[in-house]
């Protein structure tokens, strides 16, 4: 049993989009978080827990639920920060050559270990992940996640056309691989299987139909893909599927939209598409760093709220430029500012913790500090580096002549100025990542 002392911050409900008040926000300064032998949170208290607890005293630091990254690519650490191309050129020039190497089991295993350790080092304890088209890549990722005790949603990528040699499958072979991976890994430990369509342009109608059949055949599977990221991509998909009303409608026609569907980007959607997302329960994984880096466009989060469909936050590495969800949230704020609206720190943080868990149907397990939740938690320094330390001191009222600001101001500064250097310690199901690995 462990007890962690810190300033505890999480959410009990949905905070206001732009408000700085504390509705839905739970802040318990200088409290002990109590974690049982089963890796679940037992509760929190201001009083010393007494004997029998392994203490981790981080007083003066911040403790949050581990971040949930709802769209990220394991093999693309090889190509992160590769310059000079829009989405389709970037895939051909950088991504596909890197992914082809993961046909080698040794490369896949090494890449999976490096990737998951990097997530944990950045404060991300759960993720929805693309491996590659190769079965061995998915196997390696599931095995590495299980060794670390992480919550992982992933699945072999489906891609049977418009891809280079070594990265194409076929409908029958892909279905066999998926069935085997589902039997071996779905529901094993904290792994869950996602039917993983690369994007509509790289799957034939027959493969999309097979993907829909898998979802109908196996209750509880997820679906992950990309949608409407780039205008050239949208135009291409329209040419390939002229019978569909929109890019999103391609997936709907093949039975791929449901409450467990995670679609990355969703920049170039219209009101009909947003209503379809709302009605099917599917969510958009907003990937601000990637959208800015590849010049794809500015996601309209306010339109999503107005239409009632769900949004989570994602790094989308390697199109994104950092696995740090703090950096991702800061970029998300900037994208929305360019659209003329400014989400609160609470909205940003909720979308990467409890909000993401609820969107994935995992709120009984992760994303908050309720009793009974798995102890996937991270301890952070409020500030690192002289400018951030000075800004934090002002927020706390520790600078002579200045009154303390509200909690929102302090958390907002942490989100905008923080990154992986702020991460001090993490626990996955009550164990440190080093012990879990």
């Amino acid at each position: 049993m462990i007890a962690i002392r810190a300033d505890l911050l999480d959410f009990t409900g949905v905070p206001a989009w732009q408000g700085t008040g504390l509705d839905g926000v739970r802040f318990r300064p200088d409290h002990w978080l109590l974690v049982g032998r089963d890796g679940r949170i037992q509760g929190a208290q201001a009083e010393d827990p007494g004997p029998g607890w392994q203490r981790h005293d981080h007083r003066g630091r911040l403790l949050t639920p581990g971040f949930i990254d709802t769209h990220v690519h394991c093999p693309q650490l090889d190509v992160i920060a590769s310059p000079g191309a829009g989405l389709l050129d970037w895939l051909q020039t950088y991504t596909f050559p890197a992914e082809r190497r993961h046909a080698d089991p040794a490369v896949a295993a090494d890449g999976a270990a490096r990737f998951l350790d990097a997530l944990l080092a950045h404060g991300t304890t759960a993720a929805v992940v693309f491996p590659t088209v190769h079965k061995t890549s998915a196997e390696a990722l599931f095995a590495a996640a299980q060794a670390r005790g992480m919550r992982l949603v992933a699945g072999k990528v489906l891609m049977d056309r418009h891809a280079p040699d070594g990265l194409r499958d076929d409908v029958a072979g892909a279905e066999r691989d998926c069935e085997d991976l589902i039997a071996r890994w779905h529901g094993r430990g904290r792994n869950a299987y996602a039917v993983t369509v690369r994007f509509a342009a790289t799957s034939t109608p027959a493969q999309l139909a097979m993907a829909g059949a898998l979802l109908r055949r196996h209750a509880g599977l997820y679906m992950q893909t990309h949608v409407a990221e780039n205008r050239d991509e949208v135009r291409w998909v329209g040419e390939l599927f002229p019978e569909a009303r929109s890019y999103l409608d391609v997936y709907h026609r093949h039975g791929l939209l449901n409450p467990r569907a995670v679609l990355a980007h969703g920049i170039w959607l219209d009101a009909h598409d947003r209503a379809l997302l709302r009605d099917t329960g599917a969510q958009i994984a907003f990937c601000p760093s990637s959208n800015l880096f590849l010049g794809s466009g500015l996601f309209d989060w306010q339109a999503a709220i107005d239409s009632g469909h769900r949004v989570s936050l994602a790094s989308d590495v390697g199109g994104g430029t950092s696995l740090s969800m703090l950096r991702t949230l800061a970029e998300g704020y900037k994208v929305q500012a360019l659209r003329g609206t400014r989400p609160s720190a609470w909205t940003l943080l909720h979308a990467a913790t409890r909000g993401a868990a609820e969107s994935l149907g995992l709120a009984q397990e992760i994303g908050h500090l309720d009793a009974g939740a798995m102890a996937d938690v991270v301890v952070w320094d409020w500030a690192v580096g002289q400018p951030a330390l000075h800004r934090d001191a002002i927020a706390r009222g520790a600078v002579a002549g200045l009154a303390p600001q509200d909690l929102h101001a302090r958390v907002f500064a942490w989100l905008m100025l923080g990154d992986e250097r702020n991460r001090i310690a993490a626990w996955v199901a009550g164990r440190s990542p080093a012990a879990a690995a």
Side-chain angles (χ1 to χ4, degrees):
M1 300 189 299
I2 64 172
I4 310 167
R5 185 178 186 178
D7 299 334
L8 311 184
L9 175 63
D10 70 331
F11 297 92
T12 59
V14 180
W17 167 251
Q18 291 183 310
T20 62
L22 298 181
D23 288 347
V25 179
R26 178 166 53 188
F27 183 62
R28 292 170 285 184
D30 197 16
H31 271 57
W32 292 91
L33 187 75
L34 307 180
V35 180
R37 291 188 178 89
D38 61 356
R40 294 187 178 274
I41 295 170
Q42 292 191 357
Q45 61 188 49
E47 303 80 14
D48 187 280
W53 296 87
Q54 180 185 357
R55 287 168 168 77
H56 299 269
D57 193 338
H58 291 285
R59 74 187 77 181
R61 288 177 168 146
L62 177 66
L63 183 148
T64 69
F67 284 125
I68 303 165
D69 190 339
T70 57
H71 179 72
V72 61
H73 295 257
C74 170
Q76 291 187 20
L77 284 185
D78 291 359
V79 298
I80 189 172
S82 296
L87 170 65
L88 299 179
D89 288 339
W90 194 83
L91 289 172
Q92 295 291 339
T93 304
Y94 301 114
T95 301
F96 288 160
E99 292 188 0
R100 193 158 39 212
R101 293 193 288 272
H102 285 249
D104 182 334
V107 172
D110 182 63
R114 181 185 304 109
F115 169 76
L116 293 179
D117 287 344
L119 284 183
L120 292 168
H122 287 76
T124 296
T125 56
V128 182
V129 183
F130 271 61
T132 72
V133 73
H134 312 103
K135 182 181 179 184
T136 187
S137 174
E139 291 270 11
L141 190 57
F142 282 128
Q146 185 174 46
R148 289 158 179 76
M150 294 178 70
R151 164 53 78 176
L152 181 82
V153 177
K156 184 202 102 66
V157 174
L158 302 176
M159 197 158 56
D160 68 342
R161 65 171 173 174
H162 299 139
D165 292 346
L167 282 180
R168 290 189 305 275
D169 54 15
D170 60 78
V171 176
E175 185 172 21
R176 286 193 301 271
D177 285 348
C178 288
E179 289 284 7
D180 185 52
L181 289 164
I182 292 165
R184 294 189 61 196
W185 293 106
H186 184 60
R188 179 178 172 188
R190 301 180 74 190
N191 288 315
Y193 197 84
V195 174
T196 303
V197 176
R198 183 51 173 267
F199 68 120
T202 51
S203 285
T204 60
Q207 187 171 71
L208 294 174
M210 181 273 289
L214 283 173
L215 291 172
R216 291 190 297 273
R217 195 179 306 146
H218 298 281
L221 296 186
Y222 289 85
M223 194 287 295
Q224 61 173 339
T225 191
H226 301 80
V227 68
E229 177 178 359
N230 170 284
R231 281 179 287 194
D232 290 338
E233 169 211 17
V234 172
R235 190 177 305 113
W236 186 26
V237 170
E239 294 167 357
L240 292 171
F241 298 92
E243 73 284 359
R245 194 203 70 81
S246 67
Y247 190 161
L248 184 68
D249 186 48
V250 173
Y251 298 131
H252 184 51
R253 285 168 175 262
H254 291 91
L256 300 178
L257 300 185
N258 60 49
R260 289 176 175 259
V262 183
L263 300 102
H265 307 296
I267 298 169
W268 304 103
L269 302 176
D270 61 21
H272 292 286
D273 292 325
R274 295 187 186 99
L276 182 58
L277 290 168
R278 178 197 64 218
D279 293 344
T280 59
Q283 69 175 290
I284 292 294
F286 171 30
C287 308
S289 173
S290 172
N291 297 158
L292 292 171
F293 184 72
L294 295 176
S296 300
L298 306 176
F299 174 71
D300 192 343
W301 198 347
Q302 185 65 61
I305 291 172
D306 292 343
S307 64
H309 78 74
R310 297 177 297 173
V311 177
S312 55
L313 268 291
S315 70
D316 191 30
V317 163
T321 52
S322 175
L323 287 172
S324 169
M325 290 301 289
L326 287 175
R327 287 192 181 187
T328 298
L329 298 180
E331 295 302 288
Y333 177 83
K334 296 170 192 174
V335 167
Q336 297 312 303
L338 285 169
R339 293 203 60 94
T341 184
R342 288 169 171 77
S344 67
W346 308 136
T347 292
L348 296 164
L349 190 57
H350 177 267
T353 55
R354 189 171 201 128
E358 290 174 347
S359 294
L360 293 171
L362 296 173
Q364 78 287 354
E365 178 190 342
I366 57 175
H368 51 81
L369 305 178
D370 290 354
M374 296 299 289
D376 293 356
V377 299
V378 182
V379 172
W380 309 86
D381 272 334
W382 279 98
V384 172
Q386 199 54 240
L389 287 166
H390 180 66
R391 180 68 185 88
D392 185 64
I394 290 174
R396 290 184 290 111
V399 175
L402 295 177
Q405 299 170 17
D406 60 24
L407 178 63
H408 181 270
R410 192 180 189 197
V411 173
F412 187 83
W414 169 66
L415 289 180
M416 294 302 117
L417 301 176
D419 56 31
E420 64 273 19
R421 294 171 300 170
N422 294 65
R423 176 202 175 277
I424 297 300
W427 288 263
V428 178
R431 294 188 295 165
S432 70

